[in-house]
Amino acid sequence: MMGSRSPAVPIWKTEATGESAAAQAGGGARARLPGRRCVAADAIGPASAAQRSAPPCSSARGRPAGGRGGALHPAGRRLAVLSMMKGCQTECLAGGCTGGATKQVTESFKAEDLIITPATTLKEKPDPNGLVFGTVFTDNMLIIEWSLASGWEKPHIKPLENLSLHPASSSLHYAVELFEGMKAYRGVDGKIRLFRPMLNMDRMARSAKRATLPCFDKHELLDCIRKLVEVETEWVPYSAAASLYIRPTLIGIEPSLGVKKPTKALLYVILSPVGPYFASGSFNPISLWADPKYVRAWKGGTGDCKLGGNYGSSIYAQHEAIELGCQQVLWLYGENHQITEVGTMNLFLYWKNEDGEEELATPPLDGIILPGVTRQSILDLAHLWGEFKVSERYITMSDLTTALEENRVKEMFGAGTACVVCPISKILYNNENLNIPTMENGPQLATRFLNKLTDIQYGREDSDWAMLVS
């Protein structure tokens, strides 16, 4: 489940007694590394079901001698195993998330070590009806330092303050950084909820690996974030039209002008109460500018990771779109003008396809598309409903213009954490305005998705996708 259920707890065997580490620690929830193990653990003692399902941490240099299927004397086997475990630890910590796909973090900060020194001077809470997206911040922040020499320091919730960085920090020169975007919602029952937060944690870990930034335990980070939101409970707007935006950020702070993997990093989380992302409102249609001269992402690049460089390089095209009277850029790719994303949103097209089938289509995750949480949720809902064909497929501007000429397009909309669901009414392409009949068709489907998602987020409907904070 993607919501509030706890993951399976791996059982770690100790050399001396064979008892699980969790049992020795009293079986508490903190006596675990959720979903993580080293293959060495299986060699020391029998694996639990949770261990067998967890991805192994492997190290070529840490394999026991003897080749494939080779056997060692029990004492030698145990020494080789312990060496392998140490090798896994060293490799993950020293290299950040840069190893192979099976390499996993074995050390991380712990939520139980969280130090909380909250602000004593509190700011006035803003009117939720007048919020401008991302301009107001709460009283406190979460901050966690990492270095190659010391590993992760203890997490700390402290008053919001400016960062002090060396002017040669790698994040400032080479964009060695990443971020996430998620929200906390105050439900109709007064309870605070997060929406599928582990999907954000998973994506953040993938981004960290791509940016050569250090690994971390996703569950421990989520627990720290939940505690920060709990500290800032009164900043979660008392409104079903607003929320508390959560911005986890991980940056390289290597004080060097060399282009290399950083040996120092900083993870921090800031919070901002927000209203609608677009100034036009939460569900008003937007217009798009589609021009192939600008490209958001490309094969082999970082378009599927949430790295700041992907966004900073898009601002120029966004500015040009506004000058042409459009609100967002419809990003195209390739000579056939393949449709990819809408501004900072994933894109959906609801139409009758070339075979006359009623279909909800969105571009596939081929490396240039960001795997959005809202995107995945819309796909999951559509599959659950089973009322029309659901496809992750390529769509070109030629496909779209032909469908418009044949009156096969029903709705087109963007989807993302910031806006949830946003209808599209016009596309400026090849100096021609293409009318997208989204609003003329209700928009029935976009509205249905919006209502379903917000009902879960604001507690009007119970769902495993919602994780309670308080």
Side-chain angles (χ1 to χ4, degrees), residues 100-119:
T102 59
K103 212 166 288 180
Q104 298 292 318
V105 62
T106 55
E107 292 288 341
S108 181
F109 51 84
K110 302 291 182 183
E112 66 179 3
D113 296 328
L114 189 60
I115 300 168
I116 304 177
T117 53

Side-chain angles (χ1 to χ4, degrees), residues 417-429:
T417 297
C419 68
V420 190
V421 176
C422 182
I424 296 164
S425 60
K426 185 184 77 170
I427 299 175
L428 177 59
Y429 176 64

Side-chain angles (χ1 to χ4, degrees), residues 86-148:
K86 183 178 180 181
C88 287
Q89 274 194 338
T90 303
E91 196 161 15
C92 288
L93 281 173
C97 295
T98 58
T102 59
K103 212 166 288 180
Q104 298 292 318
V105 62
T106 55
E107 292 288 341
S108 181
F109 51 84
K110 302 291 182 183
E112 66 179 3
D113 296 328
L114 189 60
I115 300 168
I116 304 177
T117 53
T120 54
T121 302
L122 305 182
K123 295 176 286 191
E124 184 178 352
K125 309 301 186 292
D127 181 351
N129 297 316
L131 291 170
V132 177
F133 192 93
T135 59
V136 177
F137 299 94
T138 67
D139 298 304
N140 297 285
M141 66 189 299
L142 169 68
I143 193 163
I144 317 170
E145 297 182 24
W146 175 88
S147 70
L148 180 61

Side-chain angles (χ1 to χ4, degrees), residues 33 36 89 92-97 104-111 113 115 142-156 178 204-205 208-209 212-218 220-221 224 249-253 262-269:
L33 288 174
R36 280 151 186 74
Q89 274 194 338
C92 288
L93 281 173
C97 295
Q104 298 292 318
V105 62
T106 55
E107 292 288 341
S108 181
F109 51 84
K110 302 291 182 183
D113 296 328
I115 300 168
L142 169 68
I143 193 163
I144 317 170
E145 297 182 24
W146 175 88
S147 70
L148 180 61
S150 305
W152 287 103
E153 303 294 335
K154 291 183 179 181
H156 190 183
L178 61 95
M204 187 171 178
K209 178 178 178 179
T212 70
L213 286 163
C215 298
F216 54 88
D217 187 297
K218 297 175 286 188
E220 297 293 344
L221 176 56
C224 289
T249 309
L250 180 56
I251 64 175
I253 55 173
T263 62
K264 292 185 177 181
L266 182 68
L267 193 161
Y268 64 91
V269 182

Side-chain angles (χ1 to χ4, degrees), residues 130-393:
L131 291 170
V132 177
F133 192 93
T135 59
V136 177
F137 299 94
T138 67
D139 298 304
N140 297 285
M141 66 189 299
L142 169 68
I143 193 163
I144 317 170
E145 297 182 24
W146 175 88
S147 70
L148 180 61
S150 305
W152 287 103
E153 303 294 335
K154 291 183 179 181
H156 190 183
I157 292 176
K158 58 190 294 189
L160 182 74
E161 62 182 9
N162 294 335
L163 302 180
S164 177
L165 299 178
H166 191 282
S169 292
S170 53
S171 58
L172 301 179
H173 294 266
Y174 309 121
V176 183
E177 56 79 49
L178 61 95
F179 67 95
E180 264 304 322
M182 48 201 295
K183 288 180 175 179
Y185 308 84
R186 187 177 297 277
V188 293
D189 55 0
K191 296 179 180 179
I192 309 299
R193 293 173 174 82
L194 305 179
F195 182 74
R196 306 188 80 172
M198 278 309 301
L199 293 184
N200 294 96
M201 297 296 98
D202 290 340
R203 187 172 63 186
M204 187 171 178
R206 292 194 301 269
S207 297
K209 178 178 178 179
R210 185 66 171 86
T212 70
L213 286 163
C215 298
F216 54 88
D217 187 297
K218 297 175 286 188
H219 296 273
E220 297 293 344
L221 176 56
L222 181 55
D223 283 349
C224 289
I225 291 173
R226 291 173 70 182
K227 188 60 182 180
L228 177 63
V229 174
E230 187 178 316
V231 169
E232 301 286 53
T233 296
E234 286 306 306
W235 279 94
V236 183
Y238 287 81
S239 168
S243 56
L244 185 66
Y245 188 79
I246 304 169
R247 173 55 64 91
T249 309
L250 180 56
I251 64 175
I253 55 173
E254 172 82 16
S256 169
L257 295 180
V259 182
K260 59 184 179 179
K261 186 191 312 179
T263 62
K264 292 185 177 181
L266 182 68
L267 193 161
Y268 64 91
V269 182
I270 54 177
L271 309 176
S272 174
V274 297
Y277 183 74
F278 296 109
S280 58
S282 58
F283 199 64
N284 291 322
I286 61 170
S287 57
L288 309 178
W289 175 54
D291 193 308
K293 69 178 179 179
Y294 299 121
V295 179
R296 189 197 80 89
W298 51 90
K299 296 290 179 67
T302 60
D304 58 346
C305 297
K306 209 165 178 65
L307 308 183
N310 296 341
Y311 295 79
S313 59
S314 72
I315 294 173
Y316 187 85
Q318 172 66 22
H319 179 69
E320 191 165 337
I322 292 173
E323 287 185 335
L324 293 170
C326 300
Q327 292 160 285
Q328 288 286 318
V329 177
L330 176 58
W331 297 103
L332 306 180
Y333 180 76
E335 294 182 358
N336 61 349
H337 298 181
Q338 174 186 319
I339 293 171
T340 62
E341 293 191 7
V342 181
T344 59
M345 300 179 286
N346 294 119
L347 178 134
F348 285 88
L349 174 64
Y350 182 47
W351 65 342
K352 282 194 173 180
N353 65 20
E354 303 89 339
D355 299 322
E357 300 169 300
E358 196 170 310
E359 178 183 52
L360 178 67
T362 190
L365 300 180
D366 60 356
I368 66 173
I369 302 294
L370 186 72
V373 175
T374 309
R375 174 190 182 276
Q376 186 60 52
S377 301
I378 287 175
L379 289 173
D380 290 343
L381 288 173
H383 282 296
L384 180 65
W385 295 340
E387 300 172 10
F388 41 78
K389 184 176 183 179
V390 183
S391 302
E392 297 180 63
R393 52 163 289 182

